[in-house]
Amino acid sequence: MRKIKILYAGSPLASAIVLKNLIDDSKNSNYEIVGVLTNPPSAKGRHSALTPTEVAVVAEENGISVFSFEHLKEEARNAISPLGADLMVCFDYGKIFGPKFLSLFPLGGINLHPSALPKYRGCTPVPAAILNGERVLGVSVQTLALKTDEGDILAYGEIALDGTETTQSLMDGDGKTSKVTETGTELLKNVIHSVCEKFAETGELQLPDAKKQEGESSYTPFIKKEDGIIDWKLSASEIDRKVRAYTPWPLASTSCAGVKLLILKSKVSEKSTKDMKEVIVPGTVLPYQKSVGIEIACGDGSILVATELQWEKKKAMDYKSFMNGARNFIGSILE
């Protein structure tokens, strides 16, 4: 019996990791990746060279045809249709699939989404979970619906969070694996293997049983560059969550004497400015303690400890190296 044919849709690094995992799994399974749909190359680097997506790179390395379209209209459908794909598997592709495109696949499409749907629908579920201080990150495999992330749930898993994770560490990890890609790959494999087993037994193409989403829905917005600007009147916990949620983009930023400063890594101090004799304005850089980090006053008397910083257009530095070249930094008020 023939193998189940899959079109994979995705673009960034985390999606490329999952694609590589599925390619490896397919070598000993009854399915094959017959094509990859990804975003067109984009301008990157100092010279704005056109660079293919990480997903395109993995596909090309494994001899899989790559399809890139600005819009999924008739041209795209005409190119994808001859593949004869039974199912589309999507993770972080970045474009909306219309009914005509989804009709190309007898099984429709399934989508990997790192949230406990219907909570955190939309494009930024992981930053949203970090910003809100979640202690568990859900990972869902859903059927692709015409409305954003409203498909039925085929598989679900959870990742425990300890409050130190960044969006980058959860999604991309070390570039080869991460908590989201590990959990997501296993969930996708379970769904795909179920399809393969059913097909082998009966000759029928059928997704496993799915359940409707339950609970109150919420939506995550596109992240803008200015979202990373720090309001020092917030608590140190809120600011630390912003530092972690906006890594690797747009990064948490402030300014010192008119110069942009990035706070790349931080933690929350157990101390409070309320214990000090004088009133401390939020954003004030406190006296330096070499064994701790750079302490900065925040709202409610809380203190953020910055451990890695970067001046605009300069290299990132650990706090000790940063302080070696930061004259008059202590006592300054960040804005």
Side-chain angles (χ1 to χ4, degrees), residues 141-332:
V141 175
Q142 59 173 159
T143 57
L144 271 171
L146 296 180
K147 292 185 178 180
T148 302
D149 296 328
E150 293 191 12
D152 297 339
I153 304 300
L154 294 160
Y156 177 74
E158 292 184 338
I159 298 168
L161 304 179
D162 62 16
T164 64
E165 297 87 357
T166 67
T167 296
Q168 186 170 34
S169 71
L170 284 169
M171 292 291 285
D172 300 341
D174 62 2
K176 295 181 180 179
T177 188
S178 70
K179 290 183 178 180
V180 166
T181 59
E182 281 185 11
T183 302
T185 296
E186 288 306 306
L187 295 173
L188 285 172
K189 283 164 58 176
N190 289 341
V191 172
I192 295 169
H193 289 173
S194 175
V195 172
C196 292
E197 290 167 8
K198 183 72 174 180
F199 187 59
E201 290 173 4
T202 68
E204 296 180 4
L205 290 171
Q206 183 178 330
L207 289 174
D209 292 339
K211 65 176 183 177
K212 298 292 183 182
Q213 296 183 23
E214 299 177 349
E216 185 176 352
S217 63
S218 60
Y219 290 84
T220 61
F222 285 102
I223 295 173
K224 304 181 296 296
K225 194 170 184 179
E226 55 266 30
D227 290 335
I229 298 173
I230 295 171
D231 178 1
W232 293 104
K233 296 184 182 67
L234 298 175
S235 70
S237 294
E238 290 173 291
I239 295 171
D240 176 64
R241 293 201 295 267
K242 175 174 281 197
V243 170
R244 294 185 291 108
Y246 294 147
T247 298
W249 192 89
L251 299 174
S253 64
T254 185
S255 64
C256 179
V259 181
K260 184 176 181 179
L261 176 65
L262 301 175
I263 308 296
L264 302 179
K265 291 182 181 179
S266 63
K267 57 185 177 181
V268 179
S269 173
E270 296 180 356
K271 298 188 298 183
S272 172
T273 59
K274 292 179 179 179
D275 299 328
M276 299 179 182
K277 295 181 179 180
E278 57 185 299
V279 176
I280 306 296
V281 176
T284 301
V285 181
L286 302 174
Y288 179 48
Q289 297 189 57
K290 195 171 184 179
S291 61
V292 177
I294 300 172
E295 296 179 323
I296 306 167
C298 304
D300 258 353
S302 58
I303 297 172
L304 185 80
V305 182
T307 57
E308 186 174 331
L309 309 90
Q310 182 178 3
W311 291 113
E312 186 175 26
K313 298 181 181 179
K314 301 291 184 179
K315 292 182 178 180
M317 291 180 281
D318 64 78
Y319 71 92
K320 292 180 181 178
S321 300
F322 179 89
M323 287 303 300
N324 287 337
R327 295 181 181 180
N328 304 318
F329 189 62
I330 302 302
S332 60

Side-chain angles (χ1 to χ4, degrees), residues 33-46:
I33 311 293
V34 294
V36 160
L37 181 64
T38 189
N39 286 331
S42 58
K44 292 183 180 180
R46 182 178 299 178

Side-chain angles (χ1 to χ4, degrees), residues 95-131:
K95 286 184 171 62
I96 301 296
F97 300 105
K100 290 182 179 180
F101 191 85
L102 287 177
S103 70
L104 296 175
F105 313 100
L107 281 167
I110 61 175
N111 178 55
L112 176 63
H113 187 79
S115 84
L117 291 169
K119 194 174 188 180
Y120 301 141
R121 291 171 174 168
C123 57
T124 55
V126 174
I130 294 174
L131 285 171

